[in-house]
Amino acid sequence: MNGGGIRRWGWGSGRAEQLRADAQTAKDSAAAAFYELDTAQRELRISIETISAVDSSPAGRKAAADFAELGRRIDSVSHDYITAVDSHDLDRDDLDGAAASRARAELDRARGELERTKGDLDRFAQSLGPLLSSAENQLARLAPAVERARQSLLGASNALDAVRAEGLRADDLAARLAALSPELTKLNEGAGTHGVQETVQRADQVVREAEAIRAQAGGLPQQAADIDKRIASLRTRTEALQNRAGQVEPVLSELRRRFSAACWQDLQQVPQQAERSAQQAGEKLREARTAREEQRWPDATALLSTVRALLNTTDEAVKAAGDRLQRLNEVSFDHSGEVERTRFAIRDAQRLAMAGRATPDPRHAQPLDNAVERVDRAIASLTGRHPDYWHLLTELDAVKETVQQVVDQIRQERASGN
């Protein structure tokens, strides 16, 4: 037998098997790369969904768009990989070396594209760090915020039940609490329907309103007690003022008898005004009591404020008549004390104006000189059987006010370095 015709089965078979094994290794490596890319894409999709659920900013929208673009690239390289796998049956008995080599080359190429895409995907994932951190922080706030809202609503409801048990209706607070019911419904529908940011903001708003309702409900018993106390106090004061108003007429009679008309003419209407104001205060007080019984707290508070204002005005008018008589009695007996106090104020201001100066500033000297002349004229006006002492008192008061203005001006100028 011719030795040249003998086939070298061992060498050829071993070479083919090696090529088949290399192709299989390439296939396994490509499969691992495919699996890693698929896993990374799935994990990143969760991150993108987290960002999209929270962040509607341009950066958030760009992240979603970039991920979608990467997804199309991943689909493309995955398709190439699957095509390469399907094109070569490495388990075929008649697989020759050339076919195994082609399979290996295509699978290596597919693996390379998968790995490069995976690298780009990883870098993209790293770039999302700040966006993802912000989104996760907001999501972390979501459940606690909604729970706080529910607890605040429950607290407000319990507070209303407590004050109702004390006989307080709190209808306005109950209406405000009922108005929060639609907001609770939206909270229960969740962030999937209304968005994370909107849901967190809604929860915070519900907490603020519910806490305000609870605080106001908790303060109702004290508010009712305070109003009851004010009603009692103002009733006593109204009765006392009505009695005092009746004493104004005798004061006016003495003023008419002993002093000139100029000293009391402006007080002529005080008795009538005092009586009218006292009557109005009594009427408003009864209205306030009715509002309290009907638990119209704002109305009761407003009416009591009106009563207090009326009583203050009446009290001032009644007091003014008595003070007028007292001051006129004092000055008619001896006006020198009042005059001397005014002159002393002028001299004190003049000393201040001259402090550190050879001559006074005309802006200060002129009004002080005028003040001296006004005092002299006021004293000179005390003529006749019934001098106008009230003119003297009002003029001296005006002079002292003018002098004080000059003193204040000097001190301000010196404090500022002028």
Side-chain angles (χ1 to χ4, degrees):
M1 179 178 287
N2 186 350
I6 299 175
R7 296 183 59 187
R8 300 175 63 181
W9 290 102
W11 181 89
S13 175
R15 177 65 176 167
E17 286 303 316
Q18 183 61 46
L19 292 173
R20 183 197 296 269
D22 291 344
Q24 184 63 50
T25 299
K27 179 179 180 181
D28 293 342
S29 297
F34 175 78
Y35 175 78
E36 290 177 1
L37 177 60
D38 182 66
T39 301
Q41 183 185 24
R42 291 176 185 275
E43 293 175 351
L44 188 55
R45 180 176 287 110
I46 295 173
S47 298
I48 290 295
E49 289 173 351
T50 299
I51 293 171
S52 298
V54 174
D55 192 346
S56 58
S57 68
R61 293 195 298 270
K62 184 177 185 302
D66 290 347
F67 179 73
E69 179 61 30
L70 273 172
R72 287 188 285 272
R73 180 179 165 189
I74 290 170
D75 290 343
S76 176
V77 298
S78 296
H79 177 268
D80 292 344
Y81 159 73
I82 293 171
T83 300
V85 171
D86 291 343
S87 300
H88 304 283
D89 184 3
L90 301 182
D91 296 327
R92 224 175 56 231
D93 292 338
D94 59 348
L95 181 69
D96 58 26
S101 296
R102 286 195 301 273
R104 176 185 175 182
E106 292 180 14
L107 289 167
D108 281 343
R109 187 165 51 252
R111 175 185 55 78
E113 287 300 318
L114 290 168
E115 290 176 346
R116 278 189 292 274
T117 303
K118 168 68 163 49
D120 292 342
L121 190 67
D122 289 342
R123 284 186 289 275
F124 174 66
Q126 290 177 357
S127 72
L128 295 178
L131 286 176
L132 182 59
S133 177
S134 175
E136 288 174 340
N137 288 338
Q138 292 191 54
L139 284 173
R141 291 180 53 207
L142 179 61
V146 172
E147 182 59 24
R148 283 195 302 272
R150 292 194 180 107
Q151 292 301 318
S152 294
L153 287 170
L154 178 61
S157 178
N158 291 338
L160 282 176
D161 290 342
V163 297
R164 284 168 173 162
E166 297 185 29
L168 301 172
R169 293 194 302 271
D171 293 339
D172 56 333
L173 296 180
R176 286 168 56 187
L177 183 62
L180 293 177
S181 180
E183 299 302 304
L184 178 60
T185 299
K186 292 177 181 177
L187 289 177
N188 290 333
E189 289 171 349
T193 301
H194 301 287
V196 173
Q197 287 184 331
E198 292 79 0
T199 301
V200 170
Q201 290 173 359
R202 178 174 289 110
D204 290 343
Q205 290 170 356
V206 168
V207 167
R208 286 193 294 271
E209 178 64 10
E211 290 299 323
I213 292 171
R214 179 165 66 174
Q216 291 176 32
L220 272 182
Q222 184 61 49
Q223 182 181 15
D226 290 343
I227 287 177
D228 290 340
K229 184 177 180 180
R230 289 181 64 190
I231 288 175
S233 175
L234 290 174
R235 180 169 56 245
T236 300
R237 186 179 169 190
T238 300
E239 293 170 354
L241 193 57
Q242 287 172 338
N243 293 332
R244 288 183 59 203
Q247 300 171 7
V248 176
E249 189 59 49
V251 171
L252 279 178
S253 296
E254 185 171 354
L255 286 169
R256 295 188 194 102
R257 180 173 56 83
R258 296 180 50 205
F259 299 99
S260 64
C263 294
W264 47 262
Q265 275 184 333
D266 60 316
L267 299 176
Q268 282 287 85
Q269 302 302 317
V270 169
Q272 295 84 354
Q273 291 174 350
E275 182 179 357
R276 185 163 56 251
S277 295
Q279 290 176 350
Q280 291 176 344
E283 293 170 1
K284 295 298 181 183
L285 191 59
R286 287 189 291 273
E287 292 178 16
R289 190 180 301 111
T290 300
R292 160 62 182 92
E293 292 169 355
E294 296 175 355
Q295 299 186 26
R296 292 184 285 111
W297 311 115
D299 292 344
T301 301
L303 286 165
L304 290 175
S305 296
T306 301
V307 172
R308 182 181 296 279
L310 285 168
L311 293 178
N312 288 342
T313 301
T314 307
D315 190 48
E316 290 172 3
V318 171
K319 186 174 183 296
D323 290 347
R324 179 79 59 87
L325 178 59
Q326 180 181 350
R327 292 193 69 188
L328 289 172
N329 279 335
E330 292 173 354
V331 77
S332 66
F333 179 74
D334 182 9
H335 63 265
S336 61
E338 191 71 29
V339 171
E340 185 54 33
R341 281 191 290 273
T342 305
R343 292 191 188 279
F344 177 82
I346 296 173
R347 289 195 298 271
D348 198 42
Q350 288 172 334
R351 284 193 294 271
L352 179 65
M354 287 297 297
R357 302 179 63 97
T359 58
D361 189 322
R363 295 176 302 160
H364 309 147
Q366 185 63 44
L368 294 178
D369 290 343
N370 291 340
V372 173
E373 296 174 2
R374 289 177 67 181
V375 172
D376 292 340
R377 287 196 300 270
I379 295 172
S381 69
L382 297 177
T383 59
R385 182 181 177 185
H386 292 292
D388 188 352
Y389 290 112
W390 186 239
H391 172 71
L392 172 67
L393 288 174
T394 55
E395 187 68 1
L396 293 179
D397 288 343
V399 167
K400 284 184 283 190
E401 182 177 352
T402 298
V403 169
Q404 186 59 49
Q405 290 173 355
V406 173
V407 169
D408 292 342
Q409 180 183 4
I410 294 173
R411 288 173 176 167
Q412 289 173 2
E413 290 173 353
R414 291 181 179 175
S416 61
N418 294 335

